Each structure stands twice: as structure tokens, then as C-alpha cells.
Amino acid sequence: MFKLGGLKSTPPSPSPHHLLCLLLLLPIIIINATATATTASGRRFKEAPQYDNSPACPSISTQDMCSQQAVHVAMTLDYPYLRGTMAAIFSILQHSSCPENIRFHFISTPSSTHLHEAISSSFPYLRSQIYSFDTYPVSGLISSSIRSALDSPLNYARNYLANILPPCVQKVVYLDSDLVLVDDIALLAATPLGAGTVLAAPEYCNANFTIYFTPTFWANPLLSLTFSERNACYFNTGVMVIDLERWREGDYTTKLVEWMELQKRMRIYELGSLPPFLLVFAGNIASVDHKWNQHGLGGDNFRGLCRNLHPGPVSLLHWSGKGKPWVRLDANRPCPLDALWAPYDLLQTQFALES
């Protein structure tokens, strides 16, 4: 069986019966179909229900975007992934014991800050703030990768979080937009970082770490020593708990940029924004249970074929890879696990609009 916030899973290949059981475990979602948010392209999103704090939650002013008692979540915001962002927010609020104590920090390009209005329309009670990310400095540092979506300057905003967010935000959970949570995000945010550790993420030490770097990197006697004194393991940067105070003290943005500058002079890695994080942090992060990033559900970066869940409990489902659930659903070619994303989709369907 699978564990969605409380049930354990061992089989790697979910049957239709298992998927049905998972869907039945999801709380019933009641949407206000009369209230909608409309984007510039005319696509409409429904208004999500409001979720209230449980009695045990600490009281935080709705205007306080800096409270250390709040759970701070950072996400990027752009049109191609807006539908995914909406679903992610919805899932976070629905499964939180203290949803009113979550503070969302959205990062967008100057031309896309209007998308915050769509978020506010679907979540009028959301405690959130939008930050404009100047993509010009990073655009000159981006090297082409195996998938064009990975080359978006906004994909590198995570490198600059400590500079973008106000100094009063000391700790943040960074999340990609192609995921949903089925557990309380406060549990993830409470991950202990230990002394001197800057970030926490699930590690995958069985993955082939060498493939993320080119033969040029490994052939260079100096560069190949980068990981010599570290037990470096692959980790996915789509789910991270980051101590921004320690990041700022260690000037880790500069460290990431230095590797990107070297990449422009000699190609030492593949796959977009991930390798600089591995170069700087791999082997020096706090570990997080794998249940907090059941990643790879979007398949590989070339074909985006269907994938199964990894064995074990599930707290977060992540469609990293080429295949996105909203694209496959629209094309009537969904993968079995896309049915777990669909209940959080706030897009107003044509059938609902006509009704």
C-alpha cells in the first residue's frame, strides 16, 4: 500500500485500484465555481476555499510577512507554470494544520508580476508578496542545456533567494511549481539543519553523480578534486529548506555565480541550474526523508514518459522532468499518477464555464 500522509507503500507499480484508494484518501474539495480569476490569455481559475488555523496554531498578524513563527515558502511565478503553481498552493493550504500562518513569497520577472493578481483572485485570503527578479545579470551566465525550459532565467532565481527576499526572512522552503503536497508543510519546514548547514534536501546517494558533469570536468586535475573530501550525493533542487541567514553570511550566491562563470569559459556540466548547487553544497547538506520529494514523475528530460512512485511513504509528489500533468491531461494522454495532481487543478474547464 501507499502512504499519503499516513499510509505506507511498498509496490513500485500502482494499480488502478491503488490509485483509486489514493484519490479517495484526498479530502473532498469544494470549489467556489462562481468566482474566477482570468489571465491575459483568457484562461480562468476558480476560487479556492478558505482554510483556517487549528486552535493550537500561534496567532500571527495577517500583515506580518516576516514572522519567525510563520512557514515561509518561496516559489517562482510565470505563465507556463501558473497552473502548476495554483495547484501547489492549493495542496499546501489544504494539508496544513496552520494555513493562515504560511507566508508565500513569489518571484517573477518584471513582465509577469501581473500574474500575482491571478493568484490573489483564486486565493483572496493568501498572505503573499511578489518580488520582481531582474533576469539581465543571470541571462549572460546561462549555458544551454538538454531542455529549453531549464534555460529560463527564472529557473535560476533560487540562486538569488537571499538577495531577493527581505533580510527579515531567515528561513524558507523553496518549492518548484510542478508538485503537490499531501502532508503538512510545517513538518518539512521544521527540518533541523544542524550547526553550520545552509540547506536541507532529500539526498539520493545511489544515483550516478558523475553524469551531471562533463568529461572536461573530470579530466581536469583541479576541478575533479572538488568533491574529494565530501561524501557528495545527488539532490533535487526543487524542494529545499534554506537558512537564508547562513546563506547571506557565507555569500553562497557568489559561489554559485563563480561556477556559472567558469561554465561559460569551459563546459564543465550539463542540466541547467542543478550542477552549480551540487558543486557548492553536495555532501554538506542536511538530509530530508525521501517522502518529501517523490520526484521524477514527469519522466526524463527527453520524452517525459510515465513513471511509478518510488517505494515508501509519500508526502510530496513532484513531476520533475519533461512531462507535466496539466499538459498531459489537456492532451488526453495522462499518466496514471497524473490523477493524483488533478484534484488540485483550479483551471475552470469549458464545461463549467458553459454551465
Side-chain angles (χ1 to χ4, degrees):
M1 295 189 59
F2 298 91
K3 181 176 181 185
L4 231 77
L7 249 141
K8 215 171 204 183
S9 121
T10 48
S13 301
S15 67
H17 172 71
H18 284 133
L19 288 175
L20 178 60
C21 291
L22 283 169
L23 288 169
L24 290 175
L25 285 171
L26 298 174
I28 296 174
I29 299 173
I30 301 174
I31 303 291
N32 180 357
T34 60
T36 60
T38 306
T39 65
S41 68
R43 303 196 92 182
R44 296 185 180 183
F45 292 91
K46 295 168 283 193
E47 181 179 320
Q50 181 171 351
Y51 294 99
D52 300 321
N53 279 353
S54 63
C57 297
S59 178
I60 302 175
S61 168
T62 57
Q63 303 302 317
D64 188 353
M65 289 295 295
C66 293
S67 173
Q68 300 311 308
Q69 291 182 299
V71 173
H72 294 273
V73 178
M75 303 180 73
T76 57
L77 191 59
D78 63 344
Y79 183 73
Y81 283 80
L82 178 61
R83 192 168 165 189
T85 303
M86 291 273 198
I89 297 168
F90 192 10
S91 71
I92 291 168
L93 296 172
Q94 184 180 335
H95 295 283
S96 173
S97 57
C98 301
E100 297 176 70
N101 292 356
I102 302 175
R103 300 294 182 265
F104 286 88
H105 303 267
F106 297 113
I107 302 157
S108 185
T109 61
S111 62
S112 299
T113 53
H114 65 279
L115 294 178
H116 192 227
E117 298 174 8
I119 297 289
S120 299
S121 295
S122 286
F123 304 94
Y125 47 85
L126 200 69
R127 284 75 172 174
S128 66
Q129 191 164 335
I130 185 79
Y131 304 85
S132 180
F133 176 52
D134 181 6
T135 60
Y136 179 77
V138 74
S139 295
L141 297 173
I142 296 174
S143 301
S144 61
S145 62
I146 59 177
R147 185 159 59 91
S148 59
L150 300 176
D151 301 336
S152 166
L154 200 58
N155 199 40
Y156 291 80
R158 71 195 85 193
N159 299 24
Y160 300 87
L161 280 180
N163 301 339
I164 298 170
L165 302 189
C168 62
V169 179
Q170 299 175 8
K171 188 178 182 182
V172 70
V173 178
Y174 176 83
L175 297 175
D176 277 349
S177 296
D178 52 357
L179 53 77
V180 294
L181 275 78
V182 290
D183 206 344
D184 194 339
I185 193 171
L187 301 176
L188 175 60
T191 301
L193 293 177
T197 306
V198 177
L199 68 81
E203 293 181 287
Y204 304 89
C205 294
N206 292 328
N208 184 358
F209 190 80
T210 62
I211 64 172
Y212 297 101
F213 303 94
T214 64
T216 300
F217 175 87
W218 295 114
N220 186 294
L222 291 177
L223 295 177
S224 60
L225 293 175
T226 302
F227 303 106
S228 62
E229 297 182 1
R230 293 191 256 163
N231 182 24
C233 297
Y234 162 78
F235 66 94
N236 180 279
T237 54
V239 179
M240 297 184 290
V241 181
I242 304 174
D243 187 316
L244 293 177
E245 280 194 312
R246 292 176 181 174
W247 183 295
R248 295 177 182 116
E249 291 169 1
D251 195 15
Y252 283 96
T253 293
T254 297
K255 292 178 171 64
L256 292 168
V257 168
E258 287 173 349
W259 281 112
M260 293 174 67
E261 290 173 341
L262 179 60
Q263 165 78 350
K264 295 297 288 186
R265 297 196 298 271
M266 54 186 295
R267 195 169 183 88
I268 59 173
Y269 59 73
E270 308 289 353
L271 206 63
S273 62
L274 169 65
F277 268 84
L278 297 179
L279 288 162
V280 173
F281 294 108
N284 291 322
I285 71 173
S287 185
V288 176
D289 193 293
H290 288 181
K291 70 179 182 178
W292 286 107
N293 196 351
Q294 283 267 348
H295 69 293
L297 303 185
D300 60 24
N301 283 298
F302 297 98
R303 292 183 294 171
L305 300 178
C306 298
R307 292 269 181 91
N308 296 322
L309 286 173
H310 307 293
V314 182
S315 291
L316 184 151
L317 297 142
H318 186 186
W319 279 262
S320 58
K322 184 178 181 180
K324 302 307 174 188
W326 57 92
V327 175
R328 296 193 293 215
L329 287 165
D330 284 353
N332 290 320
R333 292 195 302 247
C335 291
L337 291 176
D338 295 344
L340 301 178
W341 181 90
Y344 302 101
D345 187 10
L346 290 177
L347 184 70
Q348 188 88 321
T349 64
Q350 186 62 36
F351 174 79
L353 289 172
E354 291 172 352
S355 298

